[in-house]
Amino acid sequence: MIDIANYWYGSTASIQLIRFITILIIGTVTTRIAIRPVASMIYRGDDDRLQSTIKNVATVTALFITFTLALNIAGFGDLLTVLTTFGAAATVAIGFGVRDQISNVLAGVFLYANTPFVEGDRVRVNETEGIVKNTSLRTTTVANPDGSHIIPNGMITTTILTNQTRSKTTTQHLTVTTTLDNTETAQNALQEALGDAEHVQTVPAPKVTTTSVEPDTVTLRATYTIKSPKQAESVKSTILNGYTDRMQQGSEASETTGNGENHG
């Protein structure tokens, strides 16, 4: 009769291989039926990418531990030393690979705890401005006329965030481009349009600055303040319409003057 205990702890190559394969199978099955389901319970949000990352990291970790135990139990000591070193390096590499995602998740927890904004607020993050449509653990979605912008939460917590909905006033910017020879006319037209816009605050006074000069064109930037961010789009439209009307009137006046001179 075969002594199972002695057979299992034998030192022949075939017995070592059997032990290795047995532990490997047990660990793989355990990972599949227990580790992955438990990992999926850690995060139950709507961010599929984050949930997939958590499950994949848990699976890789569990399989590596299984593989290491199988080598150890099988008696492959020298190979185990080599693979342990490799595993340490792989762990560092994985850590760097998911570092940004972990940072974004931690930032998401911070945002949930402190609530610097809620859905429906108008915010500005760096150069992106719009209405908060959705916030998850990893990202925040901000929508404006240009479309939806997905901003990593890590960026929100490490840069200047302005919640215009909670501010008493909000600063707005508007840019226009004109030809180089029409610079002064465009500046005056834009300044007048700002002065006539109903909801633009007089303190601080609205201003027009030149942001870039090309060989044939000039870009002007209007900076002004309004009371409510809900008025942002309507005020912007009013200013642009006023600017366009003044530029057209100036163009028509120039044509009329030019025609009079030709007939003189």
Side-chain angles (χ1 to χ4, degrees), residues 44-121:
R44 295 180 176 272
D46 298 328
D47 195 331
D48 294 336
R49 184 176 177 182
L50 175 59
Q51 189 175 68
S52 176
T53 298
I54 293 173
K55 291 171 65 176
N56 289 339
V57 170
T59 300
V60 170
T61 303
L63 290 177
F64 178 75
I65 293 173
T66 297
F67 192 63
T68 303
L69 286 174
L71 287 173
N72 189 28
I73 293 173
F76 298 129
D78 294 337
L79 183 58
L80 177 61
T81 301
V82 174
L83 289 176
T84 299
T85 304
F86 173 79
T91 301
V92 173
I94 292 173
F96 277 106
V98 300
R99 179 179 56 183
D100 289 342
Q101 293 197 41
I102 293 174
S103 173
N104 289 330
V105 170
L106 293 176
V109 173
F110 173 82
L111 293 177
Y112 276 114
N114 292 274
T115 58
F117 54 80
V118 295
E119 292 183 11
D121 282 359

Side-chain angles (χ1 to χ4, degrees), residues 14 34 68 105 136 178 181 193 203 231 241 251 256 264:
S14 59
T68 303
V105 170
S136 68
T178 187
D181 55 352
V203 179
Q231 302 169 340
N241 288 337
S251 176
T256 302

